[in-house]
Amino acid sequence: ATHQQIYRVLGRMEADGWLRATTVEQAGRPAQKVYEVADTGREVLAAWLGEPTATPPLRSDLAVKMRGAS
């Protein structure tokens, strides 16, 4: 992912209330945003981690070819 894509997603996550951003001024440089996971973001992450993950199919073209070749 590019920096542009990452910051676009961070902006959406902030708008959704999943993150909090604090702007930090820097001497001689542009201001920097520091992100922190909000309570809502922790809840969403915990829910996502608790969801079952789809099991990939066990069939592999290579395995089928090797089995067929034997």
Side-chain angles (χ1 to χ4, degrees):
T2 65
H3 282 93
Q4 189 176 30
Q5 291 170 318
I6 291 168
Y7 286 108
R8 197 170 25 236
V9 171
L10 285 171
R12 284 196 309 255
M13 293 173 78
E14 183 181 8
D16 289 342
W18 296 0
L19 301 174
R20 283 186 296 272
T22 305
T23 302
V24 177
E25 297 297 329
Q26 302 183 98
R29 298 178 69 183
Q32 177 182 9
K33 272 192 171 181
V34 177
Y35 292 91
E36 176 185 6
V37 179
D39 291 340
T40 304
R42 290 183 200 287
E43 292 169 8
V44 170
L45 177 60
W48 178 73
L49 290 172
E51 291 177 5
T53 302
T55 306
L58 297 176
R59 182 175 168 257
S60 157
D61 289 348
L62 177 60
V64 170
K65 289 178 182 181
M66 291 175 65
R67 179 82 175 176
S70 66

